[in-house]
């Protein structure tokens, strides 16, 4: 059975969607950089081992990442899933796990990297917004994109209403991608996404649609 580790910083709703998806693997641990993260209790209530490594206790980003990497390696995971993990990772950390490190980001990358993505989307006036799952590389929110889901932006949206619709899509696509990886159908090959069994798609989506 393959093993995976999930990293969180807060609420952990993406973590819950992963844990509840019946993935073909064992979640060896949920690790948070914030001891107060609500997601830790949600993981523990599902019988998953949890660990908090408070980043505020470390003098440098390198020292924190070294401890975090050692804790992850203890579980010898096949896959590491960032699920609302709000720390920028050092290049060393990313290289150590490259090819088995995934992230979910609440925008249609490469648009709107960083934080406050829903406000960024509203300010930019885009008609479509969404989320992306990608392999993590040293470029912040810049690794090869595996899957995306889009939602239309409504005229009366604020960051909260838009974010809620995006989050529902996050909960759909992240477990799907994790399953592909754990099934051995998804790999990073020469810096590109290799997805076995991917079929061609056709057609287009127009937003808005006017009768
Ligand atoms: C999610 O929307 C996730 O995509 C985002 O934080 C939220 C965490 O919610 N992640 C990032 O912005 C990473 N750059 P959750 O804790 O309920 O999963």
């Amino acid at each position: 059975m393959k093993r995976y580790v999930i990293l969180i910083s807060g609420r952990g709703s993406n973590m819950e969607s992963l844990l509840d998806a019946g993935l073909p693997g064992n979640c060896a641990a949920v690790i948070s950089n914030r001891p107060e993260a609500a997601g830790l209790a949600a993981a523990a209530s599902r019988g998953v081992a949890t660990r908090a490594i408070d980043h505020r206790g470390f003098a440098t980003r390198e020292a924190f990442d070294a401890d975090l990497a050692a804790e992850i390696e203890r579980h010898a995971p096949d896959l590491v899933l960032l699920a609302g993990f709000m720390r920028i990772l050092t290049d060393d950390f990313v290289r150590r796990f490259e090819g088995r490190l995934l992230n979910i980001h609440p925008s249609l990358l490469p648009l709107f990297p960083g934080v406050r993505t829903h406000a960024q989307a509203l300010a930019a006036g885009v008609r479509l917004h969404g989320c992306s799952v990608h392999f993590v590389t040293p470029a912040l929110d810049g690794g090869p994109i595996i899957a995306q889901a889009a939602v239309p932006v409504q005229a009366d949206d604020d960051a909260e209403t838009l974010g809620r619709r995006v989050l529902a899509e996050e909960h759909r696509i992240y477990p799907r991608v994790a399953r592909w990886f754990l099934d051995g159908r998804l790999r990073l090959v020469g810096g590109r996404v290799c997805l076995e069994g991917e079929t061609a798609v056709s057609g287009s989506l127009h937003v808005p649609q006017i009768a």
Side-chain angles (χ1 to χ4, degrees):
M1 194 68 138
K2 292 208 169 126
R3 300 160 65 80
Y4 61 94
V5 165
I6 304 176
L7 305 189
I8 63 168
S9 295
R11 177 180 56 185
S13 71
N14 274 289
M15 173 210 74
E16 289 184 278
S17 74
L18 291 163
L19 293 179
D20 295 345
L23 293 175
N26 280 331
C27 183
V30 168
I31 305 171
S32 172
N33 65 305
R34 291 186 173 276
E36 68 277 16
L40 288 174
S45 77
R46 288 168 171 77
V48 176
T50 62
R51 172 84 198 275
I53 304 177
D54 193 337
H55 67 276
R56 290 162 291 202
F58 294 81
T60 63
R61 200 175 279 285
E62 286 72 20
F64 169 73
D65 280 11
D67 246 48
L68 179 63
E71 174 62 20
I72 296 170
E73 296 280 25
R74 224 166 54 73
H75 302 285
D78 300 285
L79 175 62
V80 179
L81 297 146
L82 307 182
F85 186 69
M86 305 305 281
R87 295 280 304 168
I88 293 173
L89 294 161
T90 55
D91 288 6
D92 276 357
F93 180 99
V94 171
R95 290 212 184 86
R96 193 157 164 178
F97 295 100
E98 205 161 346
R100 53 180 172 136
L101 184 58
L102 301 181
N103 182 43
I104 181 132
H105 183 78
S107 78
L108 292 173
L109 288 170
L111 288 174
F112 318 133
V115 294
R116 292 189 304 281
T117 55
H118 311 310
Q120 287 191 62
L122 290 170
V126 292
R127 292 287 196 167
L128 281 172
H129 182 44
C131 52
S132 309
V133 179
H134 62 96
F135 280 107
V136 178
T137 63
L140 180 66
D141 298 327
I145 297 166
I146 303 156
Q148 296 183 302
V151 300
V153 178
Q154 316 283 8
D156 58 354
D157 264 332
D158 56 26
E160 199 189 320
T161 58
L162 181 56
R164 215 176 296 140
R165 289 204 306 288
V166 171
L167 190 65
E169 296 301 320
E170 295 184 39
H171 296 163
R172 290 180 51 225
I173 66 170
Y174 208 10
R176 195 176 298 175
V177 172
R179 179 179 299 277
W180 292 336
F181 189 97
L182 293 166
D183 277 342
R185 295 170 60 191
L186 168 66
R187 279 169 300 139
L188 185 64
V189 181
R192 297 180 72 92
V193 172
C194 176
L195 182 55
E196 261 171 46
E198 184 176 5
T199 51
V201 286
S202 59
S204 55
L205 170 69
H206 293 214
V207 176
Q209 290 179 314
I210 306 265

